[in-house]
């Protein structure tokens, strides 16, 4: 499947939105990937998860972890396809943590799966948690890399699609974008 087909799927499912968005990273963008809209369709969820799982099939993976909430659905399906347990990390009082009785064994090979990255902040926080709990990062799998491959989180990193998505710092938003009502669709509160 090429980038044009993938973008077509995102548009057809309403997952690629146009407007003025504040991303989870705090940056402003005229476009937003709402991956939940595409992943609600079983055929696309399985298709995209299979692409990630296939990339890592020859890597020793013992568990999959995703940052909540965006990566959970995709990470769970990747884990199912790899036949390994799946867990997630979530924010508690603003800090990423592993809780709900989830555990990581010392030296356990963990694959981090995320739906979208722009700066990689949430994935880096999950990586820090895995290492803090004694795990080893075996790789990072991403559905949409908005950095166009400039964010390198791990030497064994794979993204289904890498795009150069336009985004601006809070002090650099052009007037044309500032004129559009701001939406904050991400899962993390932006200050």
């Amino acid at each position: 499947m090429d980038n044009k087909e993938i973008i077509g799927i995102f548009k057809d499912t309403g997952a690629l939105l146009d407007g003025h968005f504040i991303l989870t990273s705090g940056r402003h963008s005229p476009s937003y990937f709402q991956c939940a809209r595409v992943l609600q369709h079983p055929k696309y969820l399985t298709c995209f998860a299979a692409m990630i799982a296939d990339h890592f099939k020859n890597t020793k993976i013992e568990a999959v972890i995703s940052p909540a909430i965006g990566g959970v659905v995709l990470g769970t399906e990747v884990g199912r396809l790899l036949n390994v347990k799946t867990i997630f990390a979530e924010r508690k009082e603003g800090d990423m943590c592993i809780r709900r009785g989830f555990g990581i064994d010392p030296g356990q090979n963990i694959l981090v799966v995320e739906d979208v990255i722009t700066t990689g902040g949430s994935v880096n926080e999950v990586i820090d948690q895995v290492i803090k709990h004694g795990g080893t990062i075996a790789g990072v799998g991403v559905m949409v890399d908005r950095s166009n491959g400039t964010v390198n989180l791990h030497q064994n990193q794979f993204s289904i699609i890498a795009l150069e998505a336009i985004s601006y710092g809070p002090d650099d938003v052009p007037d044309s974008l500032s004129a559009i009502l701001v939406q904050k669709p991400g899962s993390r509160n932006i200050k």
Side-chain angles (χ1 to χ4, degrees):
M1 186 178 307
D2 65 22
N3 283 3
K4 186 176 180 179
E5 291 174 287
I6 294 169
I7 294 295
I9 291 169
F10 273 92
K11 287 183 177 179
D12 290 347
T13 59
L16 179 55
L17 308 173
D18 294 314
H20 179 182
F21 304 95
I22 297 181
L23 307 174
T24 302
S25 64
R27 295 185 62 81
H28 294 244
S29 179
S31 63
Y32 185 78
F33 287 95
Q34 181 57 272
C35 290
R37 288 191 178 176
V38 71
L39 296 176
Q40 70 182 333
H41 301 279
K43 69 180 180 180
Y44 297 132
L45 170 60
T46 300
C47 174
F48 292 134
M51 292 169 85
I52 293 171
D54 188 56
H55 177 82
F56 292 101
K57 69 183 177 190
N58 295 320
T59 303
K60 184 179 179 185
I61 306 292
E62 297 172 300
V64 171
I65 189 170
S66 298
I69 192 165
V72 172
V73 171
L74 182 62
T76 300
E77 183 68 0
V78 170
R80 184 188 72 80
L81 293 170
L82 291 173
N83 196 31
V84 298
K85 81 173 181 176
T86 60
I87 63 175
F88 59 87
E90 62 187 308
R91 295 195 182 282
K92 182 178 180 186
E93 298 175 11
D95 295 323
M96 191 68 74
C97 60
I98 297 171
R99 46 187 250 164
R100 299 183 189 263
F102 291 143
I104 294 174
D105 297 328
Q108 190 173 31
N109 292 305
I110 309 291
L111 174 63
V112 181
V113 174
E114 175 66 299
D115 58 350
V116 179
I117 61 167
T118 301
T119 64
S122 295
V123 171
N124 272 325
E125 291 177 73
V126 171
I127 288 171
D128 290 345
Q129 285 295 304
V130 169
I131 292 167
K132 176 182 170 185
H133 286 83
T136 301
I137 302 299
V140 174
V142 178
M143 188 160 68
V144 178
D145 177 356
R146 289 178 48 100
S147 80
N148 199 25
T150 63
V151 172
N152 295 306
L153 303 164
H154 192 268
Q155 68 270 14
N156 189 8
Q157 180 172 320
F158 171 75
S159 57
I160 293 171
I161 186 169
L163 303 169
E164 185 173 6
I166 298 168
S167 67
Y168 306 94
D171 298 329
D172 299 322
V173 178
D175 293 340
S176 59
L177 191 57
S178 292
I180 301 171
L181 181 65
V182 176
Q183 299 177 60
K184 299 178 188 177
S187 58
R188 189 177 351 156
N189 290 332
I190 305 297
K191 295 178 182 174

